[in-house]
Amino acid sequence: MNNVKKIGKPRLLMLGCGDVGMRMLPLVRDRFRVIVVTSKPERCDELRAAGAIPLVADLDRPDTLARLARLARVIVHLAPPQSSGEKDRRTRNLAAILPDRANLVYISTTGVYGDCGGASFDETRPTRPANPRARRRVDAEQVLRAWARRSGSRLAILRVPGIYARDRLPLERLQKGTPALRGEDDVYTNHIHADDLAAIAVRAIDRARPLRVYHAVDDSDMKMGDYFDAVARTFHLPPPPRLPRAELQQQVTPMMLSFMSESRRLRNDRLRNELGVRLRYPDVATLLETLS
């Protein structure tokens, strides 16, 4: 008689399953039993159809989180912070119930660096968040680092720039004629295709070093206005008008202005050398060429 127990798939807990999370599911559902936390009961059917096990809970309500504590030791945290305050209360609520000796991948943002004057740099650069949105992300990173050290867990932080895909291009902005900065005032921006980001997060589960930060960015080296111009050419739309910063700030939202006030170029050597990532879309032009 065979007394060996049949071992099922390991479980993966995913918090925040928007566009990138949905792109991740086909990459992990054969290997893991994927449990997706959602605060919206109406999404349960969609998540089941995508191969996940939905669990209704809310990171804004700590009383709903206790049952997550021992569900899985592989965790992907894609949920953004709440929209106000200096601290990420959602990540703080999550860290309070995370298990020991877990493996967590956190999706952060390149905004934690603030404005870098167009400098090119790697993950060793200190953070200098310039607005509450970025400070909440730095808070989340610090909270998760403290949890990982305390609990003997492995943590990978992916700092993510502007995400693009065929259905995530600034077409509405171009159709509205929203202006961009003139060349001498413009800022360098960083990019990653949504499919590549999903694949990077999966790769980080297995290959990330403990307490390691990775720039989840492609090889694009573009200023923001040049990105808008390239998309406009691809879709045969007028390029955005270019304005000096003093004029443009009268015409865009404060949030958009904050994005247009930070210039940086992030290197991705760790992504390639440590995670072994080979990008499907090494730059924005690769996608746009397929759409021309």
Side-chain angles (χ1 to χ4, degrees):
M1 182 175 178
N2 189 350
N3 292 320
V4 177
K5 286 187 177 181
K6 183 178 180 181
I7 300 175
K9 294 179 184 177
R11 288 174 289 190
L12 183 153
L13 181 66
M14 184 182 295
L15 300 114
C17 191
D19 177 50
V20 173
M22 294 298 287
R23 293 171 191 259
M24 284 185 66
L25 286 177
L27 307 179
V28 295
R29 64 192 177 199
D30 291 339
R31 175 182 169 193
F32 294 98
R33 290 183 64 207
V34 185
I35 302 166
V36 172
V37 174
T38 179
S39 61
K40 299 176 180 178
E42 63 271 20
R43 288 203 65 204
C44 289
D45 288 345
E46 173 195 11
L47 293 168
R48 287 191 193 96
I53 302 167
L55 178 63
V56 178
D58 190 338
L59 289 174
D60 292 320
R61 296 177 52 203
D63 58 298
T64 69
L65 303 180
R67 55 186 168 161
L68 307 183
R70 287 178 288 276
L71 279 180
R73 294 196 183 276
V74 179
I75 303 154
V76 179
H77 180 12
L78 297 119
Q82 76 287 340
S83 58
S84 63
E86 299 281 319
K87 307 295 185 184
D88 181 354
R89 295 188 299 274
R90 292 175 176 171
T91 294
R92 287 169 174 264
N93 291 339
L94 175 65
I97 58 89
L98 286 172
D100 292 345
R101 296 178 298 281
N103 177 5
L104 190 147
V105 177
Y106 175 56
I107 307 301
S108 186
T109 173
T110 58
V112 298
Y113 293 112
D115 179 35
C116 303
S120 174
F121 56 89
D122 65 15
E123 292 88 345
T124 61
R125 187 184 182 100
T127 60
R128 195 181 65 177
N131 55 62
R133 184 179 64 253
R135 286 193 284 273
R136 290 191 291 273
R137 291 292 193 169
V138 171
D139 180 65
E141 291 186 7
Q142 292 172 343
V143 166
L144 291 173
R145 280 196 182 98
W147 158 77
R149 292 190 180 101
R150 182 176 64 250
S151 66
S153 297
R154 190 170 75 174
L155 170 68
I157 296 171
L158 305 182
R159 290 182 178 156
V160 177
I163 302 170
Y164 68 94
R166 170 62 183 85
D167 55 351
R168 296 185 65 157
L169 294 172
L171 298 181
E172 183 177 356
R173 176 196 173 103
L174 292 168
Q175 290 161 350
K176 289 180 177 178
T178 303
L181 286 164
R182 64 182 182 179
E184 54 265 48
D185 293 331
D186 208 357
V187 296
Y188 282 99
T189 57
N190 303 273
H191 304 268
I192 191 68
H193 192 283
D195 286 343
D196 280 326
L197 177 54
I200 290 166
V202 173
R203 183 61 67 95
I205 292 171
D206 295 316
R207 299 195 60 171
R209 298 182 183 179
L211 292 169
R212 196 68 155 167
V213 173
Y214 296 91
H215 289 163
V217 303
D218 67 15
D219 300 328
S220 298
D221 188 359
M222 306 178 76
K223 289 189 172 182
M224 184 179 289
D226 296 335
Y227 170 60
F228 294 146
D229 286 350
V231 175
R233 285 193 301 272
T234 299
F235 289 88
H236 308 289
L237 294 169
R242 299 294 195 104
L243 298 178
R245 181 174 295 278
E247 291 184 36
L248 181 133
Q249 65 187 12
Q250 310 295 326
Q251 300 191 35
V252 299
T253 65
M255 179 174 285
M256 178 55 68
L257 185 63
S258 74
F259 288 124
M260 302 174 86
S261 300
E262 298 185 356
S263 185
R264 50 189 175 254
R265 289 178 284 175
L266 279 66
R267 296 204 293 271
N268 61 9
D269 303 66
R270 283 186 185 176
L271 192 73
R272 297 180 180 280
N273 298 334
E274 293 186 12
L275 299 188
V277 169
R278 296 296 176 263
L279 296 169
R280 180 178 177 186
Y281 298 94
D283 52 33
V284 171
T286 303
L287 173 67
L288 296 182
E289 286 168 5
T290 70
L291 304 175
S292 300

